[in-house]
Amino acid sequence: MISCQCHCRPLIRILPGLPYTYGARTLASISSPSKPTGDISSVFPSLSGAAPSPLPPRFVDLKKRLIRGHEDAITESWHRLLAALQHKRGEVKTLGPKIVPEINFYDLGDVGKRTLFRDALHKTGVAVIRGVVSEKEALGWKELVQRYIRTNPSTRGFPAESPAVYELYWSPSQVLARAHSNLLRAQAFLMSHWRSTDNSALISTSHPVSYADRLRIRQPGDAKFALGPHIDGGSCERWEEDGYGRGGVYGAIMAGNWENYDPWEATCRLPVKSDLYNGPGGCSMFRMFQGWLAMSEVEGGEGHLMVNPMIKEATAYFLLRPFFSSRRANDSSTYLHPDNWALDDSMSSVLQGAIPANCQELNPTLHPHLGLEDTMIHIPRVKPGDYVAWHCDTIHAVDNVHRGKSDSSVMYIPACPLTEVNAEYLARQRETFVDGFPAPDFPSSSEGESQHRGRLTPEYVMNNISLEAQRAMGLVPFDAVARGVREQERRVMRRANEILRFA
């Protein structure tokens, strides 16, 4: 079991040229929080119960601009997409969880198994890596974080009266899990399946950077953390020119060529702004994969993760859906038939399921052709120490009710490459780590974990995690002169060191 130190109050100077004083950000955080206060429900109207307001008229103009000049191509592509979705729905329904690719951590070097895994990952967008850490270590982290919560009863979460998701970012378990060498290797392995069309792009998938996220300990019987189908990383931003449009991420889809859309091309995502509205939980970092590390044994129906393993087709569908309407009511037997759907003659401002400062939500009424009743499938049974990951555009959800007999517990740990934008975020996140405040993307708090007993000191972390993990946290410079590093990676490491004030 980890023996951790309590936080200390004297002056802390852990980084060259970066003076940090314990609690230095407290007053600033109270007077001008970077994010509104809240919890995980703050970005999900389906959880918070908040009634969405209509989008302003500028979204009418936006939608017209996006398809102007290629309306016929968009219509033809829509019909092809509906046919492709019908086929994929049958495949997903037949295979269920078996469609999700799996690989054992100790097989990551097996070329044959890697190839099979790669091909399935590119089709589905989801994966399980077995045994990234031992069951004993993962269960030890769960025991440690439960003790941390008991020791600090002021810890907030959702739902407030009986939390399933805790507003914790810097517990010893989370810090040590993110720093684990096996996890960093697993993240780099997953990110290697992305590609870049520009060899000069400032990105390295070989150097994962740490993203402090929450954790979940969901008890049997819970029905309040009923998080339905959604996509993180913004909502309206996916259509907006100043959002994902900055890199033309979905340009092929909007041009009527959804088949040419490449979900795995990274260069176009580098200039993206995925959090235009400063939502309390809106992600501003480029997370190639969202993911979590299991701390309990869980299967479908037991508060488990559900995913839609149609990464290309589902993305194209929810992006094109706002441009089409049905001609007949949805009680018609031909409601889903392509001939029943036509490009809107008069555009509305509606972007189905998208609300500024919230995540993109989906449901069978708004997105009927996705067949969410059949295509939201459970991840296979996981054991403590397994790592589950899904592409940043993947539709995902959790069981509405936890019908199991023991807790469903995970630490959310996404896989993020080294980029300029991510280095800028890392610099801000480093401050919140030192002072014990929520990470920059998350709801602000006047105290956070700053007064939590048992929080690891920066000195302890610097003395007990690897150099690789320290770099991932932005605590020491990246080694831009290391042997075997590609020039593209050297350049982004040098730029990151400048942003982190090491150069």
Side-chain angles (χ1 to χ4, degrees):
M1 180 60 62
I2 298 294
S3 176
C4 57
Q5 302 175 357
C6 295
H7 61 256
C8 58
R9 297 181 180 275
L11 179 69
I12 299 170
R13 187 185 295 270
I14 59 172
L15 304 172
L18 292 178
Y20 285 103
T21 306
Y22 178 83
R25 294 182 65 254
T26 303
L27 293 177
S29 297
I30 295 173
S31 60
S32 56
S34 58
K35 293 277 188 175
T37 57
D39 54 37
I40 195 170
S41 70
S42 302
V43 290
F44 295 104
S46 60
L47 282 185
S48 66
S53 300
L55 296 179
R58 67 181 177 86
F59 284 95
V60 176
D61 298 330
L62 169 66
K63 290 169 66 175
K64 290 179 178 178
R65 287 196 304 273
L66 286 173
I67 65 169
R68 185 174 293 136
H70 37 86
E71 290 86 350
D72 290 344
I74 286 283
T75 300
E76 292 172 5
S77 74
W78 172 257
H79 289 158
R80 297 194 305 273
L81 176 60
L82 296 190
L85 278 171
Q86 185 176 13
H87 172 74
K88 292 289 290 189
R89 284 175 59 177
E91 180 184 5
V92 173
K93 185 177 181 180
T94 299
L95 293 175
K98 293 180 182 178
I99 201 171
V100 177
E102 303 179 25
I103 190 169
N104 191 285
F105 177 77
Y106 293 102
D107 288 332
L108 297 188
D110 186 308
V111 175
K113 292 180 180 179
R114 283 179 60 127
T115 300
L116 292 173
F117 177 87
R118 177 202 64 200
D119 293 345
L121 174 64
H122 280 162
K123 290 179 181 178
T124 63
V126 297
V128 179
I129 303 182
R130 300 289 187 186
V132 173
V133 300
S134 69
E135 289 192 40
K136 181 179 179 180
E137 191 161 20
L139 290 172
W141 284 336
K142 182 171 71 171
E143 182 181 342
L144 182 60
V145 77
Q146 289 174 319
R147 186 193 313 164
Y148 185 73
I149 293 167
R150 290 194 301 270
T151 304
N152 299 284
S154 63
T155 300
R156 297 181 302 112
F158 175 86
E161 66 279 8
S162 180
V165 178
Y166 290 88
E167 293 297 312
L168 290 176
Y169 306 89
W170 304 116
S171 72
S173 300
Q174 290 165 291
V175 173
L176 296 172
R178 295 179 202 127
H180 199 287
S181 60
N182 286 9
L183 188 70
L184 292 170
R185 183 186 171 195
Q187 291 173 325
F189 166 73
L190 286 166
M191 292 192 295
S192 72
H193 294 91
W194 284 68
R195 43 189 166 249
S196 178
T197 55
D198 182 358
N199 292 330
S200 65
L202 294 180
I203 182 170
S204 174
T205 57
S206 301
H207 298 86
V209 295
S210 181
Y211 185 85
D213 205 332
R214 301 176 173 101
L215 62 87
R216 180 185 84 215
I217 303 178
R218 192 180 184 192
Q219 300 298 334
D222 174 72
K224 293 188 176 180
F225 183 54
L227 192 54
H230 68 280
I231 308 167
D232 296 308
S235 57
C236 299
E237 290 90 344
R238 284 189 162 83
W239 289 270
E240 295 191 74
E241 289 111 336
D242 290 336
Y244 284 74
R246 290 167 61 96
V249 175
Y250 307 117
I253 296 172
M254 294 303 173
N257 297 300
W258 68 266
E259 295 93 340
N260 293 334
Y261 164 62
D262 185 358
W264 303 98
E265 206 292 304
T267 306
C268 62
R269 293 181 186 254
L270 299 184
V272 162
K273 288 189 178 294
S274 55
D275 182 22
L276 292 175
Y277 303 96
N278 200 40
C283 181
S284 60
M285 203 167 179
F286 178 17
R287 301 182 294 185
M288 285 184 159
F289 291 91
Q290 291 177 255
W292 48 246
L293 186 74
M295 296 189 292
S296 56
E297 185 168 353
V298 183
E299 65 178 357
E302 299 177 347
H304 205 21
L305 175 70
M306 304 178 75
V307 294
N308 185 293
M310 307 187 298
I311 182 61
K312 187 172 184 174
E313 295 83 359
T315 301
Y317 178 80
F318 86 79
L319 287 168
L320 291 178
R321 173 66 180 89
F323 301 95
F324 292 86
S325 295
S326 62
R327 294 168 173 166
R328 294 181 290 277
N330 64 4
D331 58 355
S332 168
S333 60
T334 59
Y335 178 67
L336 296 181
H337 195 279
D339 291 342
N340 186 41
W341 292 78
L343 191 69
D344 287 334
D345 294 326
S346 178
M347 290 290 176
S348 71
S349 65
V350 173
L351 298 172
Q352 281 81 359
I355 302 170
N358 286 264
C359 291
Q360 171 73 41
E361 295 196 287
L362 302 95
N363 63 56
T365 300
L366 297 179
H367 306 92
H369 295 92
L370 287 179
L372 295 172
E373 304 91 337
D374 297 325
T375 60
M376 294 301 296
I377 53 112
H378 286 104
I379 290 290
R381 174 188 284 271
V382 296
K383 294 183 178 181
D386 291 342
Y387 184 57
V388 176
W390 56 100
H391 185 286
C392 52
D393 287 346
T394 295
I395 303 169
H396 55 290
V398 296
D399 283 319
N400 287 339
V401 181
H402 179 354
R403 304 186 187 279
K405 297 181 179 180
S406 60
D407 61 85
S408 174
S409 302
V410 304
M411 287 185 278
Y412 296 107
I413 308 177
C416 309
L418 180 60
T419 69
E420 287 185 280
V421 168
N422 287 2
E424 290 168 358
Y425 183 89
L426 202 59
R428 292 184 287 129
Q429 181 178 263
R430 181 175 59 189
E431 296 180 15
T432 65
F433 159 64
V434 172
D435 285 341
F437 284 92
D441 271 345
F442 295 88
S444 66
S445 168
S446 60
E447 283 194 357
E449 295 167 71
S450 64
Q451 304 301 314
H452 273 37
R453 295 171 57 197
R455 181 168 62 87
L456 300 182
T457 66
E459 293 98 333
Y460 179 90
V461 171
M462 293 292 285
N463 290 325
N464 288 275
I465 67 172
S466 69
L467 189 60
E468 179 188 26
Q470 292 174 35
R471 290 186 177 121
M473 292 182 69
L475 302 179
V476 297
F478 290 93
D479 186 0
V481 297
R483 295 179 62 183
V485 176
R486 294 181 294 114
E487 181 57 30
Q488 179 185 19
E489 295 174 325
R490 294 188 196 280
R491 286 188 288 105
V492 71
M493 285 193 283
R494 286 195 290 265
R495 179 63 185 131
N497 287 340
E498 292 173 358
I499 293 169
L500 293 165
R501 295 171 57 190
F502 291 123

